[in-house]
């Protein structure tokens, strides 16, 4: 099926921006046919920067969240490849199927053969929100038998990546699963009495996270690692990892709800956290600022001299906690703003000094071996 000329999913989302916004509370929407979610206060985001052992700093706002029109030059991101560690996939809908009454009569007898059943047509489309316009690309469809197997699995019958596919299936009950990026939903449909047309509402929006340095410069994917977690925590205080290494500055479609975003700048302790709410039919933009700088370490025999190789380094917080360890002549690490001490080990001798990291000001810390 071809898309209408000059129309794409950006148009759908842009038109939705002019509609009244409904805010949602509670867990991420993971179950089809779930009850409506209660209304909440407007979008907000707060966070904290982790500095091991550092003196507590004054509270700062680390994420600014706004809802803006979607730029037509940047279409919504497609679903990530299967080798990415994503737990809201466009693949198996086992999480979505939990809680659905697949067999209300309790009859698990072997179904009739497909040959004995007439063929029915199932036409499916998807929308971001109820009453919205049909999405025209980026969709992944899977059709499963509604009757689970003895081991509890669901048999995959058909799949398609078309925007509005038409499936020809034997008369039976099925589960229709659709994914749009990381947003997904499922619904049960019956073809026993005849063909059906099904429109699934994803109740989804988009998130775009832009990490910045202290000077408001954009930080690239090579400098920053973004991870998206569920907002809920289990009995051990752990969150469910949804997306690892999420692309910075790119739109990620997600089911409406609140997400916990972790932004790590460099390989040490510059870590910012923010709870970000994704609204249905809206693009939520979050700007996270890192108060950090890069520090280069060197051990010399005299001031301004050549750095000594074969040196082991330990960066410590004021409380004595190890922040980062490394080895070499010129190790460089991004550290959160604060006070530190460094210990260099060379030829069986120890050398140390204290230093301060100022946000946005890269520096060199030199130790003299004497």
């Amino acid at each position: 099926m071809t898309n209408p000329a000059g129309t794409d999913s950006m148009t759908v989302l842009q038109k939705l921006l002019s509609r009244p916004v409904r805010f949602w509370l509670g867990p991420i929407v993971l179950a089809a046919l779930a009850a409506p979610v209660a209304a909440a206060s407007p979008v907000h985001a707060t966070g904290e920067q982790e500095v091991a052992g550092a003196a507590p700093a004054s509270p700062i706002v680390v994420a600014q969240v706004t809802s803006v029109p979607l730029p037509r030059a940047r279409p919504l991101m497609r679903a990530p490849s299967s080798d990415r560690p994503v737990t809201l996939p466009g693949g198996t809908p086992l999480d979505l199927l939990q809680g659905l009454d697949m067999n209300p009569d309790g009859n698990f007898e072997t179904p009739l053969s497909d040959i004995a059943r007439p063929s029915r047509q199932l036409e499916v489309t998807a929308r971001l929100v109820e009453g919205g316009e049909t999405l025209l690309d980026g969709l992944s469809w899977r059709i499963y038998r509604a009757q689970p197997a003895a081991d509890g699995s669901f048999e995959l019958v058909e799949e398609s990546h078309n925007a509005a596919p038409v499936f020809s299936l034997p008369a039976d009950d099925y589960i229709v699963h659709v994914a749009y990026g990381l947003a997904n939903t499922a619904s049960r449909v019956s073809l026993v009495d005849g063909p059906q047309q099904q429109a699934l509402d994803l109740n989804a929006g988009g998130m775009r996270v832009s990490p910045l340095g202290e000077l408001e410069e954009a930080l690239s994917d090579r400098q920053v690692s973004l991870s998206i977690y569920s907002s809920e925590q289990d009995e051990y205080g752990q969150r469910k990892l949804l997306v690892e290494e999420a692309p910075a500055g790119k739109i990620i479609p997600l089911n409406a709800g609140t997400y916990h975003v972790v932004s790590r700048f460099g390989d040490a302790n510059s870590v910012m956290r923010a709870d970000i709410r994704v609204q249905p039919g809206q693009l939520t933009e979050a700007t996270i600022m890192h108060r950090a700088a890069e520090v280069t370490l060197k051990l010399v025999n005299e001031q301004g001299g050549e750095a000594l190789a074969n040196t082991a380094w330990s960066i410590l917080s004021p409380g004595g906690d190890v922040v980062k360890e490394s080895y070499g002549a010129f190790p460089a690490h991004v550290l959160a703003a604060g006070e530190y001490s460094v210990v260099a080990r060379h030829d069986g001798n120890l050398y140390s000094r204290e230093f301060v990291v100022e946000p946005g000001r890269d520096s060199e810390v030199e130790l003299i071996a004497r």
Side-chain angles (χ1 to χ4, degrees):
M1 175 176 286
T2 59
N3 295 338
T7 310
D8 55 20
S9 298
M10 294 295 94
T11 305
V12 176
L13 284 172
Q14 285 178 318
K15 291 183 178 180
L16 282 170
L17 292 175
S18 63
R19 298 173 180 264
V21 177
R22 293 178 295 170
F23 300 99
W24 300 81
L25 281 174
I28 305 168
V29 179
L30 286 180
L33 310 180
V37 187
S41 57
V43 179
H44 69 281
T46 59
E48 59 184 4
Q49 177 154 337
E50 299 177 351
V51 183
S58 58
I60 59 171
V61 175
V62 301
Q64 179 181 1
V65 180
T66 57
S67 296
V68 300
L70 289 169
R72 295 183 60 87
R74 293 187 177 182
L76 281 176
M77 190 182 74
R78 300 295 184 95
S81 59
S82 58
D83 59 345
R84 295 291 296 277
V86 175
T87 53
L88 280 180
T92 173
L94 295 181
D95 288 345
L96 289 164
L97 300 183
Q98 290 178 1
L100 289 181
D101 189 0
M102 302 302 175
N103 192 52
D105 299 327
N107 180 11
F108 285 90
E109 296 179 358
T110 304
L112 297 174
S113 67
D114 293 343
I115 300 178
R117 302 181 182 190
S119 179
R120 311 288 198 196
Q121 282 194 335
L122 172 62
E123 301 181 29
V124 289
T125 55
R127 304 173 296 196
L128 282 175
V129 292
E130 182 180 358
E133 296 189 23
T134 301
L135 294 171
L136 302 174
D137 59 13
L139 297 171
S140 177
W141 296 90
R142 288 175 174 83
I143 309 296
Y144 294 83
R145 290 192 185 278
Q147 182 80 10
D151 61 358
S153 62
F154 293 85
E155 179 187 352
L156 176 63
V157 179
E158 294 283 353
E159 58 183 326
S160 174
H161 296 284
N162 293 331
V166 178
F167 299 100
S168 183
L169 302 165
D172 202 348
D173 292 341
Y174 298 92
I175 299 298
V176 181
H177 174 260
V178 61
Y180 183 51
L182 299 175
N184 60 144
T185 190
S187 178
R188 178 172 176 152
V189 62
S190 177
L191 300 181
V192 175
D193 297 328
Q196 293 288 338
Q197 293 181 335
Q198 187 85 355
L200 275 68
D201 297 323
L202 287 159
N203 189 37
M207 177 195 295
R208 178 161 58 196
V209 181
S210 300
L212 301 179
E214 177 68 18
L215 303 179
E216 298 189 3
E217 73 279 13
L219 303 177
S220 67
D221 287 339
R222 291 185 176 181
Q223 298 170 298
V224 175
S225 174
L226 289 175
S227 299
I228 301 176
Y229 295 82
S230 64
S231 60
E232 300 81 16
Q233 301 181 43
D234 60 20
E235 62 271 27
Y236 304 105
Q238 302 296 316
R239 302 178 189 270
K240 186 177 182 180
L241 176 63
L242 305 178
V243 190
E244 189 176 38
E245 297 181 3
K250 299 294 181 64
I251 299 173
I252 304 174
L254 293 163
N255 289 103
T258 301
Y259 297 86
H260 187 75
V261 177
V262 178
S263 176
R264 180 179 294 275
F265 179 26
D267 60 351
N269 66 338
S270 181
V271 179
M272 305 299 291
R273 300 175 178 270
D275 290 323
I276 299 174
R277 186 184 303 278
V278 174
Q279 304 176 71
Q282 295 271 319
L283 168 63
T284 301
E285 290 205 284
T287 301
I288 297 179
M289 181 168 292
H290 284 267
R291 304 186 68 251
E294 184 178 77
V295 175
T296 302
L297 307 174
K298 59 183 297 188
L299 178 66
V300 297
N301 286 318
E302 58 183 5
Q303 187 173 1
E306 184 177 352
L308 301 178
N310 303 321
T311 303
W313 300 89
S314 295
I315 301 174
L316 308 176
S317 69
D321 298 319
V322 176
V323 175
K324 186 66 180 178
E325 293 185 321
S326 56
Y327 189 85
F330 294 100
H333 304 289
V334 175
L335 299 174
E339 298 179 355
Y340 301 89
S341 60
V342 59
V343 177
R345 294 180 293 277
H346 180 77
D347 286 345
N349 297 314
L350 297 178
Y351 309 94
S352 66
R353 63 165 291 186
E354 296 179 349
F355 65 98
V356 176
V357 175
E358 298 183 16
R361 298 186 62 178
D362 297 345
S363 61
E364 183 179 272
V365 176
E366 186 178 84
L367 281 73
I368 300 178
R370 63 183 179 193

